[in-house]
Amino acid sequence: DIQMTQSPSTLSASVRDRVTITCRASQSISNWLAWYQQKPGQAPKLLIFKASSLESGVPSRFSGSGSGTEFTLTISSLQPDDFATYYCQQYNSSPLTFGGGTKVEIK
Amino acid sequence: QAQLVQSGAEVKKPGASVKVSCKASGYTFTSYGISWVRQAPGQGLEWMGWISAYNGNTNYAQNFQGRLTMTTDTSTNTAYMELRSLTFDDTAVYYCARDVGENWCDPWGQGTLVTVSS
């Protein structure tokens, strides 16, 4: 199975900060990576697919980059609605696997 | 727009089975598959498997082989996930999500809490 490792596990930031979350795969997954946002008590919501493609309706302050084994999710200017937990997910091969999550907290 | 609505919360005893439904609307059901993902309390996301709504083909994660069955009913645009021989470790929120073919998941159902308790 492909292991997905996210860092940091928790991130404290302020509104308008630039935030970067890293996701590393245990082997190359090309660009077969998605990012999700999950708020407490809610289902995950797709933000990014194919490593850098922004899902329709997702604010442009979210962006994704990377290929192979290293990927990043960047929020260019953190907004109050962005405080949540973020997960990466690889779909290069079965079983699909998720990173452990990064909780973005208010500083 | 595409929407998935899941059945309500369940409480089961160890050793029992649970069957969760996921009703799709707003898209052509048979053009996509459904992935099932679970989340234990305070934990991350775990993919359980995928089913094609077109032909019923399935792919289950090794962790659940032998006690997991996914099915679809194309007459009602509903997917089902049945998990047998429940243990306390199966206590989790179970999500269905539209998934074209074991790719990204979008959208997700609202989740179904399954509690295993004696």
Side-chain angles (χ1 to χ4, degrees):
Chain A
D1 298 2
I2 297 176
Q3 307 302 317
M4 305 299 293
T5 304
Q6 283 183 238
S7 60
S9 55
T10 306
L11 187 160
S12 296
S14 302
V15 173
R16 291 182 296 279
D17 279 355
R18 181 180 181 88
V19 165
T20 298
I21 298 168
T22 298
C23 178
R24 290 187 173 88
S26 60
Q27 63 189 73
S28 178
I29 58 170
S30 183
N31 64 343
W32 303 123
L33 184 100
W35 289 97
Y36 301 89
Q37 176 193 67
Q38 186 179 34
K39 296 179 181 178
Q42 297 185 18
K45 173 189 170 185
L46 178 69
L47 299 175
I48 303 278
F49 60 95
K50 272 192 219 174
S52 60
S53 295
L54 192 68
E55 169 69 352
S56 176
V58 174
S60 59
R61 63 181 179 272
F62 291 93
S63 64
S65 65
S67 66
T69 62
E70 187 152 338
F71 302 85
T72 58
L73 173 70
T74 299
I75 310 172
S76 60
S77 177
L78 197 66
Q79 298 301 301
D81 191 47
D82 302 338
F83 291 97
T85 300
Y86 294 84
Y87 294 94
C88 60
Q89 176 227 327
Q90 67 81 21
Y91 50 96
N92 178 77
S93 62
S94 184
L96 308 188
T97 48
F98 292 87
T102 296
K103 185 175 183 180
V104 178
E105 297 181 328
I106 300 172
K107 193 172 187 177
Chain B
Q1 72 281 18
Q3 186 177 16
L4 300 174
V5 178
Q6 299 182 222
S7 50
E10 303 262 13
V11 179
K12 297 293 182 181
K13 293 193 182 302
S17 299
V18 68
K19 192 169 186 177
V20 178
S21 68
C22 169
K23 183 169 177 60
S25 61
Y27 71 97
T28 302
F29 184 62
T30 52
S31 294
Y32 293 83
I34 295 287
S35 271
W36 290 88
V37 176
R38 75 176 185 179
Q39 186 171 38
Q43 302 301 308
L45 301 167
E46 180 182 23
W47 181 78
M48 300 177 68
W50 174 86
I51 182 167
S52 165
Y54 173 71
N55 59 16
N57 286 351
T58 56
N59 182 24
Y60 301 147
Q62 187 67 32
N63 287 350
F64 301 98
Q65 290 281 354
R67 67 185 189 105
L68 174 63
T69 301
M70 296 179 184
T71 56
T72 58
D73 181 346
T74 56
S75 69
T76 60
N77 291 350
T78 303
Y80 298 91
M81 184 281 299
E82 181 179 31
L83 190 62
R84 300 176 293 279
S85 303
L86 292 169
T87 72
F88 298 122
D89 289 343
D90 293 316
T91 293
V93 176
Y94 290 75
Y95 294 102
C96 62
R98 187 181 69 168
D99 179 348
V100 63
E102 295 183 66
N103 294 310
W104 60 89
C105 297
D106 177 62
W108 296 56
Q110 83 276 19
T112 297
L113 175 61
V114 176
T115 303
V116 182
S117 173
S118 55

